[in-house]
Amino acid sequence: MEDTWTATAGPPDGRDNHTAVWTGTEMIIWGGGAFGMSTGGRYNPITDTWIATSTTNAPSARFSHTAVWTGTEMIVWGGTTWAYLTVFNTGGKYNPDTDSWTATNTSNDGGRYNPSTNAWMFTTTINAPDHRSSHSAVWTGTEMIVWGGTIDNNSVASTGGRYCAQSGPAPTPTPRVTPRPRPTPHPRP
């Protein structure tokens, strides 16, 4: 089955500005919508089925939030409500094995979050990129890379930064090396 699309059966209510994470077997979506939602769903591509996520103890309705997969839980953080009336510094941890939510600690509105201890640690702001919204961030296993988004004057940023959470010097990225093709030998006369 190459280069084909298959419709998914029984999805949750339509939405945008939601998040999605991949667990290794399922896609979990949550939140989003024009006014913010506090619902989600788990999609299994093998069985082509959706299961609603629990709403008990789920974070309040929001969109434009962030979600990451830890290997056992989806962590949701931040976001906003309709017309940006509320910008959240709250979140939750969703465990698909138990279909349950646990609130994240809110003692800090930015920094490094440890899900096993439910605790925040401040991050340095030295050489940090300008504050921004609607940006993208990825975790490489050793660094967080932030790029793009909107800066205060509503200009679109073409900048970013790398944050190294470990002590000592920042790791040097290892470039992906593509083997060069061997030259084709010329036939001998």
Side-chain angles (χ1 to χ4, degrees), residues 26 28 30 38 42 51-59 69-70 72-76 91-104:
E26 292 180 317
I28 304 174
W30 191 83
S38 62
R42 296 167 27 205
I51 299 171
T53 57
S54 171
T55 56
T56 304
N57 298 321
W69 178 249
T70 68
T72 57
E73 295 175 311
M74 173 180 69
I75 300 175
V76 170
K93 300 185 295 184
Y94 175 73
N95 184 323
D97 291 339
T98 60
D99 190 31
S100 63
W101 286 93
T102 304
T104 55

Side-chain angles (χ1 to χ4, degrees), residues 3-19:
D3 199 22
T4 61
W5 283 91
T6 304
T8 61
D13 294 335
R15 62 194 69 205
D16 59 1
N17 294 310
H18 59 285
T19 51

Side-chain angles (χ1 to χ4, degrees), residues 55-108:
T55 56
T56 304
N57 298 321
S60 55
R62 63 192 67 200
F63 63 89
S64 294
H65 53 283
T66 301
V68 295
W69 178 249
T70 68
T72 57
E73 295 175 311
M74 173 180 69
I75 300 175
V76 170
W77 181 257
T80 190
T81 60
W82 179 78
Y84 300 90
L85 295 175
T86 303
V87 177
F88 294 104
N89 69 340
T90 60
K93 300 185 295 184
Y94 175 73
N95 184 323
D97 291 339
T98 60
D99 190 31
S100 63
W101 286 93
T102 304
T104 55
N105 183 315
T106 58
S107 65
N108 187 7

